[in-house]
Coordinates of all heavy atoms in Angstrom, one line a residue:
M1 N 134.1 36.6 40.7 CA 132.7 36.4 40.8 C 132.2 35.4 41.7 O 131.2 35.5 42.4 CB 132.2 36.2 39.2 CG 130.7 36.1 39.1 SD 130.0 37.7 39.5 CE 128.4 37.4 39.2
R2 N 132.9 34.3 41.7 CA 132.5 33.2 42.5 C 132.6 33.5 44.0 O 131.7 33.2 44.8 CB 133.5 32.0 42.3 CG 133.2 30.8 43.1 CD 134.0 29.6 42.7 NE 133.6 28.4 43.5 CZ 134.3 27.8 44.3 NH1 135.7 28.1 44.4 NH2 133.9 26.7 45.0
N3 N 133.6 34.3 44.4 CA 133.7 34.8 45.8 C 132.5 35.7 46.2 O 132.0 35.6 47.3 CB 135.0 35.6 46.1 CG 136.1 34.6 46.0 OD1 135.9 33.4 46.3 ND2 137.4 35.2 45.8
V4 N 132.0 36.5 45.2 CA 130.8 37.3 45.4 C 129.6 36.5 45.6 O 128.8 36.7 46.6 CB 130.7 38.4 44.2 CG1 129.3 39.0 44.3 CG2 131.8 39.3 44.2
L5 N 129.4 35.4 44.8 CA 128.3 34.6 45.0 C 128.3 33.8 46.3 O 127.3 33.6 47.0 CB 128.3 33.6 43.9 CG 127.8 34.2 42.5 CD1 127.9 33.1 41.5 CD2 126.4 34.8 42.6
I6 N 129.5 33.3 46.7 CA 129.6 32.7 48.0 C 129.3 33.6 49.1 O 128.6 33.3 50.1 CB 131.1 32.1 48.2 CG1 131.2 31.0 47.1 CG2 131.3 31.6 49.6 CD1 132.7 30.5 47.0
A7 N 129.8 34.9 49.1 CA 129.5 35.8 50.2 C 128.1 36.2 50.2 O 127.5 36.2 51.3 CB 130.4 37.1 49.9
A8 N 127.4 36.3 49.1 CA 126.0 36.7 49.0 C 125.2 35.5 49.6 O 124.2 35.7 50.4 CB 125.6 36.9 47.6
A9 N 125.6 34.3 49.2 CA 124.9 33.1 49.7 C 125.0 33.0 51.3 O 124.1 32.7 52.0 CB 125.4 31.8 49.1
A10 N 126.2 33.3 51.8 CA 126.5 33.2 53.2 C 125.7 34.3 53.9 O 125.2 34.1 55.1 CB 128.0 33.5 53.4
L11 N 125.5 35.4 53.3 CA 124.7 36.4 54.0 C 123.1 36.3 53.8 O 122.4 37.1 54.3 CB 125.1 37.8 53.4 CG 126.5 38.3 53.8 CD1 126.8 39.6 53.0 CD2 126.6 38.5 55.3
G12 N 122.8 35.3 53.0 CA 121.3 35.0 52.8 C 120.7 36.0 51.8 O 119.6 36.2 51.7
L13 N 121.6 36.5 50.9 CA 121.0 37.4 49.9 C 120.5 36.8 48.6 O 119.9 37.5 47.8 CB 122.2 38.5 49.6 CG 122.7 39.3 50.7 CD1 123.9 40.3 50.3 CD2 121.5 40.1 51.3
L14 N 120.8 35.6 48.4 CA 120.2 34.8 47.3 C 119.0 34.2 47.7 O 118.9 33.4 48.6 CB 121.2 33.8 46.8 CG 122.6 34.4 46.3 CD1 123.5 33.2 45.8 CD2 122.4 35.3 45.1
A15 N 117.9 34.6 47.0 CA 116.6 34.0 47.3 C 116.4 32.6 46.7 O 116.8 32.4 45.6 CB 115.5 35.0 46.8
T16 N 115.8 31.8 47.4 CA 115.5 30.4 46.9 C 114.1 30.5 46.2 O 113.3 31.4 46.5 CB 115.4 29.3 48.0 OG1 114.4 29.7 48.9 CG2 116.7 29.3 48.7
P17 N 113.8 29.6 45.3 CA 112.5 29.7 44.6 C 111.3 29.7 45.5 O 110.3 30.4 45.3 CB 112.4 28.4 43.7 CG 113.9 28.1 43.5 CD 114.6 28.6 44.8
T18 N 111.4 29.1 46.7 CA 110.2 29.1 47.6 C 110.1 30.4 48.2 O 108.9 30.8 48.7 CB 110.3 27.9 48.6 OG1 111.5 28.1 49.3 CG2 110.2 26.6 48.0
M19 N 111.2 31.1 48.4 CA 111.1 32.5 49.0 C 110.4 33.5 48.2 O 109.9 34.4 48.7 CB 112.5 32.9 49.4 CG 113.1 32.1 50.6 SD 114.8 32.5 50.9 CE 114.7 34.2 51.3
V20 N 110.6 33.4 46.8 CA 110.2 34.4 45.9 C 108.8 34.1 45.3 O 108.1 35.0 44.7 CB 111.1 34.7 44.9 CG1 112.4 35.3 45.3 CG2 111.3 33.5 43.9
Q21 N 108.3 33.0 45.5 CA 106.9 32.6 45.0 C 105.9 33.3 45.9 O 105.8 33.1 47.0 CB 106.7 31.1 45.0 CG 107.5 30.3 44.0 CD 107.2 28.9 44.1 OE1 106.7 28.3 45.1 NE2 107.5 28.1 43.0
A22 N 105.0 34.0 45.2 CA 103.9 34.6 45.9 C 102.7 33.7 45.9 O 102.6 32.8 45.1 CB 103.5 35.9 45.1
Q23 N 101.9 33.9 46.9 CA 100.7 33.0 47.0 C 99.7 33.3 45.8 O 99.5 34.4 45.5 CB 100.0 33.2 48.3 CG 98.8 32.3 48.5 CD 98.2 32.5 49.9 OE1 98.6 33.3 50.6 NE2 97.2 31.7 50.2
D24 N 99.3 32.2 45.2 CA 98.4 32.4 44.1 C 97.0 33.1 44.6 O 96.6 32.7 45.7 CB 98.1 31.0 43.4 CG 99.2 30.5 42.6 OD1 100.1 31.3 42.2 OD2 99.3 29.3 42.4
P25 N 96.5 34.0 43.8 CA 95.2 34.5 44.3 C 94.1 33.5 44.1 O 94.2 32.5 43.4 CB 95.0 35.7 43.3 CG 95.9 35.4 42.2 CD 97.0 34.6 42.6
V26 N 93.0 33.8 44.8 CA 91.9 32.9 44.7 C 91.2 33.0 43.3 O 91.1 34.0 42.8 CB 90.8 33.4 45.8 CG1 89.5 32.6 45.7 CG2 91.4 33.2 47.2
T27 N 90.8 31.8 42.9 CA 90.1 31.8 41.6 C 88.7 32.1 41.8 O 88.1 32.1 42.9 CB 90.2 30.4 41.0 OG1 89.5 29.4 41.8 CG2 91.7 29.9 40.8
E28 N 88.0 32.3 40.7 CA 86.5 32.6 40.7 C 85.8 31.4 41.3 O 84.9 31.7 42.2 CB 86.0 32.9 39.3 CG 84.6 33.2 39.3 CD 84.0 33.6 37.8 OE1 84.9 33.9 37.0 OE2 82.9 33.6 37.5
E29 N 86.2 30.3 41.0 CA 85.5 29.0 41.5 C 85.7 28.9 43.0 O 84.8 28.5 43.7 CB 86.0 27.8 40.8 CG 85.6 27.6 39.3 CD 86.4 28.5 38.4 OE1 87.6 28.9 38.8 OE2 86.0 28.8 37.3
Q30 N 86.9 29.2 43.5 CA 87.2 29.2 44.9 C 86.3 30.2 45.7 O 85.8 30.0 46.8 CB 88.7 29.3 45.2 CG 89.4 28.1 44.7 CD 91.0 28.4 44.7 OE1 91.4 29.6 44.5 NE2 91.7 27.4 45.1
A31 N 86.2 31.4 45.0 CA 85.4 32.5 45.6 C 84.0 32.1 45.8 O 83.3 32.3 46.8 CB 85.6 33.8 44.8
I32 N 83.5 31.4 44.8 CA 82.0 31.0 44.8 C 81.9 30.0 46.0 O 81.0 30.0 46.7 CB 81.7 30.4 43.5 CG1 81.5 31.5 42.5 CG2 80.3 29.7 43.6 CD1 81.3 31.1 41.1
S33 N 82.9 29.0 46.0 CA 82.8 28.0 47.1 C 83.0 28.7 48.5 O 82.2 28.2 49.4 CB 84.0 27.0 46.9 OG 84.0 26.1 47.9
I34 N 83.7 29.7 48.6 CA 83.8 30.4 50.0 C 82.5 31.0 50.2 O 82.0 30.9 51.5 CB 85.0 31.4 49.9 CG1 86.3 30.7 49.9 CG2 84.9 32.3 51.1 CD1 87.5 31.6 49.5
A35 N 81.8 31.6 49.3 CA 80.5 32.3 49.5 C 79.4 31.2 49.9 O 78.6 31.4 50.7 CB 80.1 33.1 48.2
E36 N 79.5 30.1 49.2 CA 78.7 29.0 49.5 C 78.9 28.6 51.0 O 77.8 28.2 51.7 CB 78.8 27.8 48.5 CG 78.2 28.1 47.2 CD 78.6 27.1 46.2 OE1 79.5 26.3 46.4 OE2 78.0 27.1 45.1
R37 N 80.0 28.5 51.5 CA 80.3 28.1 52.8 C 79.8 29.1 53.9 O 79.6 28.8 55.1 CB 81.8 27.9 53.1 CG 82.3 26.7 52.4 CD 83.7 26.2 53.0 NE 84.7 27.2 52.9 CZ 85.6 27.3 51.8 NH1 85.5 26.4 50.9 NH2 86.4 28.3 51.9
H38 N 79.5 30.4 53.4 CA 78.9 31.4 54.2 C 77.4 31.6 54.0 O 76.9 32.7 54.4 CB 79.7 32.7 54.1 CG 81.1 32.6 54.7 ND1 82.2 32.1 54.0 CD2 81.5 33.0 55.9 CE1 83.2 32.0 54.9 NE2 82.8 32.6 56.0
G39 N 76.8 30.7 53.4 CA 75.3 30.7 53.3 C 74.7 30.9 51.9 O 73.5 30.9 51.8
M40 N 75.5 31.2 50.9 CA 74.9 31.4 49.6 C 74.5 30.0 49.0 O 75.4 29.2 48.9 CB 75.9 32.1 48.7 CG 75.3 32.6 47.3 SD 76.5 33.0 46.1 CE 77.2 31.4 45.8
V41 N 73.3 30.0 48.5 CA 72.9 28.7 47.8 C 72.6 28.8 46.4 O 72.5 27.9 45.7 CB 71.7 28.1 48.6 CG1 72.0 27.7 50.0 CG2 70.5 29.0 48.6
R42 N 72.3 30.1 45.9 CA 72.1 30.3 44.6 C 72.9 31.6 44.1 O 72.8 32.6 44.7 CB 70.6 30.6 44.3 CG 70.2 30.5 42.9 CD 68.7 30.5 42.7 NE 68.4 31.9 42.5 CZ 67.2 32.4 42.7 NH1 66.2 31.6 43.1 NH2 66.9 33.7 42.5
L43 N 73.6 31.4 43.0 CA 74.5 32.5 42.5 C 73.8 33.5 41.7 O 73.0 33.0 40.7 CB 75.6 31.8 41.8 CG 76.7 32.8 41.1 CD1 77.5 33.4 42.2 CD2 77.7 31.9 40.3
K44 N 74.0 34.7 41.9 CA 73.5 35.8 41.0 C 74.6 36.3 40.1 O 74.4 36.5 38.8 CB 72.9 36.9 41.9 CG 72.4 38.1 41.1 CD 71.8 39.1 42.0 CE 71.3 40.4 41.4 NZ 70.9 41.4 42.3
D45 N 75.8 36.7 40.7 CA 76.8 37.4 40.0 C 78.1 37.3 40.7 O 78.2 37.2 41.9 CB 76.4 38.9 39.8 CG 77.3 39.7 38.8 OD1 77.8 39.1 37.9 OD2 77.4 40.9 39.1
V46 N 79.2 37.3 39.9 CA 80.6 37.3 40.4 C 81.4 38.4 39.7 O 81.3 38.5 38.5 CB 81.3 36.0 40.2 CG1 82.7 35.9 40.8 CG2 80.4 34.8 40.8
D47 N 82.0 39.3 40.5 CA 82.7 40.4 39.9 C 84.1 40.4 40.5 O 84.3 40.3 41.7 CB 82.1 41.7 40.2 CG 80.8 41.9 39.5 OD1 80.7 41.5 38.3 OD2 79.8 42.4 40.2
R48 N 85.1 40.6 39.6 CA 86.5 40.7 40.0 C 86.7 42.2 40.5 O 86.3 43.1 39.8 CB 87.4 40.4 38.8 CG 88.9 40.5 39.1 CD 89.3 39.2 39.8 NE 90.7 39.1 39.8 CZ 91.4 38.6 40.7 NH1 90.7 38.1 41.8 NH2 92.6 38.6 40.8
E49 N 87.2 42.4 41.7 CA 87.4 43.7 42.3 C 89.0 43.9 42.5 O 89.7 42.9 42.5 CB 86.6 43.9 43.6 CG 85.1 43.7 43.4 CD 84.5 44.8 42.5 OE1 85.2 45.9 42.4 OE2 83.4 44.6 42.1
D50 N 89.4 45.0 42.8 CA 90.8 45.4 43.2 C 91.3 44.5 44.4 O 92.4 44.0 44.4 CB 91.0 46.8 43.5 CG 90.9 47.7 42.2 OD1 91.0 47.2 41.2 OD2 90.7 48.9 42.5
Y51 N 90.4 44.3 45.3 CA 90.8 43.5 46.6 C 90.6 42.0 46.4 O 91.1 41.3 47.1 CB 89.9 44.0 47.7 CG 88.4 43.9 47.5 CD1 87.8 42.6 47.7 CD2 87.6 44.9 47.1 CE1 86.4 42.5 47.4 CE2 86.3 44.8 46.9 CZ 85.7 43.6 47.0 OH 84.3 43.5 46.8
G52 N 89.9 41.6 45.4 CA 89.6 40.2 45.1 C 88.3 39.9 44.4 O 88.3 40.3 43.2
W53 N 87.3 39.3 45.1 CA 86.1 39.0 44.4 C 84.9 39.6 45.2 O 84.9 39.5 46.4 CB 86.0 37.5 44.3 CG 87.0 36.8 43.5 CD1 88.2 36.3 43.8 CD2 86.9 36.8 42.0 NE1 88.8 35.8 42.7 CE2 88.1 36.1 41.6 CE3 86.0 37.1 41.1 CZ2 88.4 35.8 40.3 CZ3 86.2 36.8 39.7 CH2 87.5 36.2 39.4
E54 N 83.8 39.8 44.5 CA 82.5 40.1 45.1 C 81.6 39.1 44.5 O 81.3 39.0 43.3 CB 82.0 41.6 44.7 CG 80.7 41.9 45.2 CD 80.3 43.3 44.8 OE1 80.7 44.2 45.5 OE2 79.6 43.4 43.8
V55 N 81.0 38.3 45.4 CA 80.1 37.2 44.9 C 78.7 37.6 45.6 O 78.5 37.8 46.6 CB 80.6 35.8 45.5 CG1 79.6 34.7 45.0 CG2 81.9 35.6 45.1
E56 N 77.7 37.6 44.6 CA 76.3 37.9 45.0 C 75.4 36.7 44.7 O 75.6 36.0 43.7 CB 75.8 39.2 44.2 CG 76.6 40.3 44.5 CD 76.1 41.5 43.7 OE1 74.9 41.8 43.7 OE2 76.9 42.2 43.0
G57 N 74.4 36.6 45.6 CA 73.4 35.5 45.4 C 72.3 35.5 46.4 O 72.0 36.6 46.9
W58 N 71.7 34.3 46.7 CA 70.7 34.3 47.6 C 71.0 33.2 48.7 O 71.6 32.2 48.4 CB 69.4 34.0 46.9 CG 68.9 35.1 46.1 CD1 68.1 36.2 46.5 CD2 69.2 35.3 44.7 NE1 67.9 37.0 45.4 CE2 68.6 36.5 44.3 CE3 69.9 34.6 43.7 CZ2 68.6 37.1 43.1 CZ3 70.0 35.2 42.5 CH2 69.3 36.3 42.1
T59 N 70.4 33.4 49.9 CA 70.6 32.3 50.9 C 69.4 31.3 50.7 O 68.4 31.6 49.9 CB 70.4 33.0 52.3 OG1 69.2 33.6 52.5 CG2 71.6 34.0 52.5
A60 N 69.4 30.3 51.6 CA 68.3 29.3 51.5 C 66.9 29.9 51.8 O 66.0 29.4 51.3 CB 68.7 28.2 52.5
D61 N 66.9 30.9 52.6 CA 65.6 31.5 52.9 C 65.1 32.7 52.0 O 64.3 33.5 52.3 CB 65.5 31.9 54.4 CG 66.6 32.9 54.8 OD1 67.4 33.4 53.9 OD2 66.6 33.3 55.9
G62 N 66.0 32.9 50.9 CA 65.6 33.8 49.9 C 66.1 35.2 50.0 O 65.8 36.1 49.3
R63 N 67.0 35.4 51.1 CA 67.6 36.7 51.2 C 68.7 37.0 50.3 O 69.4 36.0 50.0 CB 67.9 37.0 52.7 CG 66.7 36.9 53.6 CD 67.1 37.2 55.1 NE 68.0 36.1 55.6 CZ 68.8 36.2 56.6 NH1 68.8 37.3 57.3 NH2 69.5 35.2 57.1
E64 N 68.9 38.2 49.9 CA 70.1 38.4 49.0 C 71.4 38.4 49.9 O 71.4 38.9 51.1 CB 70.0 39.7 48.3 CG 69.0 39.7 47.1 CD 69.0 40.9 46.3 OE1 70.2 41.2 45.8 OE2 68.0 41.5 46.0
I65 N 72.5 38.0 49.5 CA 73.8 37.9 50.1 C 74.8 38.4 49.2 O 74.8 38.1 48.0 CB 74.0 36.5 50.7 CG1 75.4 36.4 51.5 CG2 74.1 35.4 49.5 CD1 75.6 35.2 52.2
E66 N 75.8 39.2 49.7 CA 77.0 39.6 49.0 C 78.2 39.3 49.9 O 78.2 39.7 51.1 CB 76.8 41.1 48.8 CG 78.0 41.7 48.0 CD 77.9 43.2 47.9 OE1 77.0 43.6 47.2 OE2 78.7 43.9 48.4
V67 N 79.1 38.5 49.3 CA 80.3 38.2 50.0 C 81.5 38.8 49.3 O 81.7 38.4 48.1 CB 80.4 36.6 50.1 CG1 81.7 36.3 50.9 CG2 79.2 36.0 50.8
E68 N 82.3 39.6 50.0 CA 83.5 40.2 49.4 C 84.6 39.3 50.0 O 84.8 39.1 51.2 CB 83.7 41.6 49.9 CG 82.6 42.5 49.3 CD 82.8 43.9 49.7 OE1 83.8 44.3 50.5 OE2 81.9 44.7 49.2
I69 N 85.5 38.8 49.0 CA 86.6 37.9 49.3 C 87.9 38.5 48.9 O 88.1 38.9 47.7 CB 86.4 36.6 48.7 CG1 85.0 36.0 49.2 CG2 87.6 35.6 48.9 CD1 84.4 35.0 48.3
N70 N 88.9 38.6 49.8 CA 90.2 39.1 49.5 C 91.0 38.1 48.6 O 90.7 36.9 48.5 CB 91.0 39.4 50.8 CG 90.4 40.5 51.6 OD1 90.0 41.5 51.1 ND2 90.3 40.3 52.8
H71 N 92.1 38.6 48.0 CA 92.9 37.8 47.1 C 93.4 36.5 47.8 O 93.6 35.5 47.2 CB 94.1 38.6 46.6 CG 93.9 39.7 45.7 ND1 93.5 39.4 44.4 CD2 93.9 41.0 45.8 CE1 93.2 40.6 43.8 NE2 93.5 41.6 44.7
D72 N 93.6 36.6 49.1 CA 94.2 35.5 49.9 C 93.1 34.4 50.3 O 93.4 33.5 51.0 CB 95.0 35.9 51.1 CG 94.3 36.7 52.1 OD1 93.1 36.9 52.0 OD2 94.9 37.1 53.1
G73 N 91.9 34.7 50.0 CA 90.8 33.8 50.4 C 90.1 34.2 51.7 O 89.0 33.6 52.1
T74 N 90.5 35.3 52.4 CA 89.8 35.6 53.6 C 88.6 36.5 53.2 O 88.6 37.1 52.2 CB 90.7 36.5 54.5 OG1 91.2 37.7 53.8 CG2 91.9 35.6 55.0
V75 N 87.6 36.4 54.1 CA 86.4 37.0 53.8 C 86.5 38.5 54.3 O 86.8 38.7 55.4 CB 85.1 36.4 54.5 CG1 83.9 37.2 54.3 CG2 84.9 35.0 53.9
R76 N 86.3 39.4 53.4 CA 86.4 40.8 53.7 C 85.1 41.4 54.3 O 85.2 42.1 55.3 CB 86.7 41.6 52.4 CG 86.8 43.0 52.5 CD 87.0 43.5 51.0 NE 87.1 44.9 50.9 CZ 88.2 45.6 50.9 NH1 89.3 45.1 50.9 NH2 88.2 46.9 50.8
E77 N 83.9 41.0 53.8 CA 82.7 41.4 54.3 C 81.6 40.5 53.8 O 81.6 39.9 52.7 CB 82.4 42.8 53.9 CG 81.2 43.5 54.3 CD 80.9 44.9 53.9 OE1 81.9 45.5 53.4 OE2 79.8 45.3 54.2
I78 N 80.6 40.4 54.6 CA 79.3 39.6 54.3 C 78.2 40.5 54.6 O 78.0 41.0 55.7 CB 79.1 38.3 55.1 CG1 80.3 37.4 54.9 CG2 77.9 37.6 54.6 CD1 80.4 36.1 55.7
D79 N 77.4 40.7 53.5 CA 76.1 41.6 53.7 C 74.9 40.7 53.3 O 74.8 40.3 52.1 CB 76.2 42.7 52.8 CG 75.1 43.7 52.9 OD1 74.5 43.7 54.0 OD2 74.7 44.5 52.0
I80 N 74.0 40.5 54.2 CA 72.8 39.7 54.0 C 71.6 40.7 54.3 O 71.5 41.2 55.3 CB 72.7 38.5 54.9 CG1 73.9 37.6 54.7 CG2 71.4 37.7 54.7 CD1 73.9 36.3 55.7
D81 N 70.8 40.8 53.2 CA 69.6 41.7 53.4 C 68.7 41.1 54.3 O 68.4 39.9 54.4 CB 68.9 41.8 52.0 CG 69.7 42.8 51.1 OD1 70.6 43.4 51.5 OD2 69.3 42.8 49.8
D82 N 68.1 42.0 55.1 CA 67.1 41.7 56.1 C 65.6 41.7 55.6 O 64.8 41.4 56.4 CB 67.2 42.6 57.3 CG 68.5 42.4 58.2 OD1 69.0 41.3 58.1 OD2 69.0 43.3 58.7
D83 N 65.5 42.1 54.5 CA 64.1 42.3 53.8 C 63.4 41.0 53.7 O 63.8 40.0 53.3 CB 64.2 42.9 52.5 CG 64.8 44.3 52.5 OD1 64.9 44.8 53.6 OD2 65.1 44.8 51.4

């Protein structure tokens, strides 16, 4: 058994803890912060979606804004009403 472990380690088949750790998804608070950095000043609603988060609110000039944020924190889409 020891020889098998040594051979596996030599071939790089044993994963280290840092190799198998997945990146933590964005929290609700982080999603709100990301939306604020993109112009939202007042929060209306936050919804968990399959892709990550949907954050809705208003901009400083009163327009509605919706920011979709992926699990990794990247912005998927920003929709600001022109009304």
Side-chain angles (χ1 to χ4, degrees):
M1 181 66 175
R2 182 169 182 242
N3 290 339
V4 172
L5 288 175
I6 292 171
L11 294 173
L13 299 177
L14 297 179
T16 62
T18 55
M19 290 173 59
V20 295
Q21 286 179 342
Q23 184 176 4
D24 290 335
V26 172
T27 65
E28 181 176 339
E29 292 79 19
Q30 290 169 325
I32 293 168
S33 178
I34 292 167
E36 288 171 342
R37 288 196 303 264
H38 287 85
M40 187 193 73
V41 296
R42 196 172 88 200
L43 179 65
K44 176 181 178 182
D45 192 28
V46 181
D47 293 316
R48 184 84 165 136
E49 301 291 342
D50 291 338
Y51 58 81
W53 295 97
E54 180 182 274
V55 183
E56 298 177 49
W58 292 272
T59 62
D61 60 0
R63 295 182 295 162
E64 286 191 55
I65 183 172
E66 179 181 301
V67 182
E68 295 180 358
I69 301 160
N70 293 316
H71 290 291
D72 64 359
T74 58
V75 175
R76 178 184 177 98
E77 183 177 346
I78 300 173
D79 182 27
I80 301 175
D81 285 347
D82 292 331
D83 300 345

